[in-house]
């Protein structure tokens, strides 16, 4: 089994460029432009960038919600850009699930928590009714919520509890890759750390690989193993988290690092110095 579970090779995703109904040329938007990287199995791979940097587009390409313009994406050694047949696509999507940014909007308000967690199991024909119920109960234990909540509806939960349900649904199929799309940004600060701790425990226990989309470098520093920095569809810098934080190479990365609230005055002085030196060069 290869250590690499995901690989982007010269991936491009462009929107527009074609002529409209009235003959006007639509602006070409290079949402992802010649991006290459690999993700190691069982690691947390962070993608940092401002709005419009291409983070979400890459996640959609990884889930095959968007069609690639150019390049190759492989998952577990399989070129997913060539998958077109409906059943093969359904089988592939068992491998990649997502925890959404806003747990309130991502959970169906008309379904009970049991129905929400069980849904991917039903869609993919996993187990009998009895086996699925047991799986749902086990998942409630994993995300540290009482099984007595199963007949409740999403509006009866706090934000942190809703996100735990989103996590339970994402791991229901034992998917090896989970996309975390800003998983704590919609939560109160007081519960963010507990959700991150839960995600870390799940990753360690089930050897899951996280594709972690965020703009929070402070969180990346404590949670991720590897990181890429994106700007306007381009990959600016990539490497191990500690390497990027200790020895950033690109000016854009240095400016992002400077935006983090730093408590240690020596660390703040270092960040000030590297940016001053870059500006002067």
């Amino acid at each position: 089994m290869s250590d690499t579970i995901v690989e982007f090779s010269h991936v491009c995703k462009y929107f527009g460029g074609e002529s409209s109904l009235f003959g006007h040329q639509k602006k070409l938007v290079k949402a992802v432009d010649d991006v290459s990287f690999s993700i190691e199995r069982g690691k947390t791979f962070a993608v940092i960038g401002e709005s419009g940097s291409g983070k979400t587009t890459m996640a959609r390409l990884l889930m095959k919600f968007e069609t690639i313009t150019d390049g190759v994406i492989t998952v577990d050694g399989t070129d997913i850009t060539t998958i077109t047949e409906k059943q093969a696509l359904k089988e592939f999507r068992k491998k990649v699930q997502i925890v959404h940014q806003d747990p309130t909007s991502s959970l169906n308000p008309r379904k009970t928590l049991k129905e929400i967690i069980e849904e991917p199991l039903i869609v993919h024909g996993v187990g009998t009714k009895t086996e699925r119920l047991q799986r749902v109960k086990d998942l409630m234990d994993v995300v540290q919520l009482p099984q007595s909540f199963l007949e409740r509806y999403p509006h009866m939960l706090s934000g942190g509890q809703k996100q735990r349900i989103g996590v339970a649904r994402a791991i229901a199929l034992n998917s090896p890759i989970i996309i975390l799309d800003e998983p704590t940004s919609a939560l109160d600060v007081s519960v963010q750390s507990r959700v991150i701790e839960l995600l870390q425990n799940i990753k360690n226990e089930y050897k899951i690989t996280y594709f972690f989309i965020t703009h929070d470098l402070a969180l990346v520093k404590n949670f991720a193993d590897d990181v890429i920095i994106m700007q306007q569809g381009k990959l600016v810098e990539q490497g191990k988290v500690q390497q990027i934080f200790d020895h950033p190479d690109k000016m854009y990365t240095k400016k992002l690092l400077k935006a983090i609230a730093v408590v240690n005055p020596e660390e703040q002085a270092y960040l000030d110095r590297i940016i001053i030196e870059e500006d002067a060069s």
Side-chain angles (χ1 to χ4, degrees):
M1 183 182 294
S2 171
D3 288 339
T4 298
I5 191 168
V6 174
E7 186 166 7
F8 275 49
S9 181
H10 302 288
V11 171
C12 300
K13 176 59 183 176
Y14 302 158
F15 296 96
E18 70 277 7
S19 297
S20 68
L21 181 64
F22 300 102
H24 299 297
Q25 191 79 6
K26 294 181 180 178
K27 181 181 177 181
L28 180 65
V29 176
K30 297 183 177 182
V32 177
D33 192 16
D34 194 22
V35 170
S36 297
F37 59 81
S38 60
I39 303 177
E40 190 176 344
R41 191 181 304 274
K43 300 294 185 181
T44 297
F45 185 89
V47 184
I48 291 283
E50 299 171 336
S51 296
S53 64
K55 305 188 304 295
T56 299
T57 300
M58 285 195 296
R60 291 181 63 81
L61 289 171
L62 180 56
M63 297 188 76
K64 283 196 70 68
F65 289 162
E66 297 283 358
T67 303
I68 197 171
T69 301
D70 199 6
V72 174
I73 301 173
T74 58
V75 174
D76 244 353
T78 299
D79 179 359
I80 68 169
T81 57
T82 63
I83 298 175
T84 55
E85 198 269 327
K86 187 175 180 180
Q87 185 59 37
L89 189 59
K90 182 179 178 181
E91 282 300 309
F92 161 72
R93 286 192 174 138
K94 288 170 67 176
K95 293 185 176 182
V96 185
Q97 293 293 307
I98 186 168
V99 176
H100 294 278
Q101 178 177 358
D102 183 357
T104 298
S105 61
S106 68
L107 302 181
N108 189 330
R110 296 180 179 86
K111 291 188 175 184
T112 65
L113 305 187
K114 172 187 171 298
E115 292 169 330
I116 289 170
I117 299 173
E118 187 182 23
E119 185 175 21
L121 300 172
I122 294 174
V123 169
H124 290 280
V126 177
T128 64
K129 184 176 181 180
T130 301
E131 290 169 340
R132 289 196 299 269
L133 177 58
Q134 186 57 54
R135 174 63 174 159
V136 170
K137 290 179 177 179
D138 291 343
L139 288 165
M140 290 293 279
D141 292 340
V142 171
V143 299
Q144 300 168 9
L145 287 177
Q147 294 181 13
S148 60
F149 279 22
L150 284 174
E151 296 306 320
R152 295 188 180 187
Y153 290 85
H155 73 271
M156 303 168 74
L157 304 183
S158 68
Q161 290 170 337
K162 290 175 188 176
Q163 195 59 296
R164 287 172 187 267
I165 295 299
V167 171
R169 179 179 59 186
I171 66 174
L173 295 169
N174 290 316
S175 304
I177 303 164
I178 305 293
I179 296 171
L180 303 177
D181 184 8
E182 302 271 11
T184 61
S185 63
L187 304 178
D188 292 339
V189 174
S190 60
V191 300
Q192 288 180 2
S193 61
R194 293 197 289 274
V195 171
I196 288 296
E197 182 181 8
L198 172 68
L199 289 168
Q200 186 68 53
N201 291 339
I202 288 172
K203 185 192 85 165
N204 293 339
E205 182 171 354
Y206 297 99
K207 310 303 180 187
I208 291 172
T209 302
Y210 287 146
F211 187 84
F212 177 41
I213 298 171
T214 185
H215 63 272
D216 187 342
L217 272 98
L219 181 55
V220 167
K221 187 174 183 179
N222 295 301
F223 182 57
D225 300 293
D226 304 282
V227 61
I228 61 173
I229 311 295
M230 295 292 297
Q231 183 183 26
Q232 297 179 345
K234 290 282 191 180
L235 196 160
V236 175
E237 191 163 2
Q238 63 180 311
K240 296 293 181 183
V241 166
Q242 203 61 50
Q243 169 202 332
I244 296 297
F245 274 77
D246 290 349
H247 305 288
D249 182 52
K250 304 299 183 183
M251 185 59 190
Y252 181 70
T253 306
K254 293 173 184 178
K255 288 183 175 179
L256 286 178
L257 289 172
K258 186 174 173 62
I260 304 174
V262 181
V263 176
N264 186 331
E266 292 183 0
E267 188 173 354
Q268 181 65 70
Y270 165 72
L271 293 175
D272 289 339
R273 175 173 55 77
I274 60 175
I275 291 177
I276 290 170
E277 288 174 352
E278 184 76 15
D279 286 338
S281 61

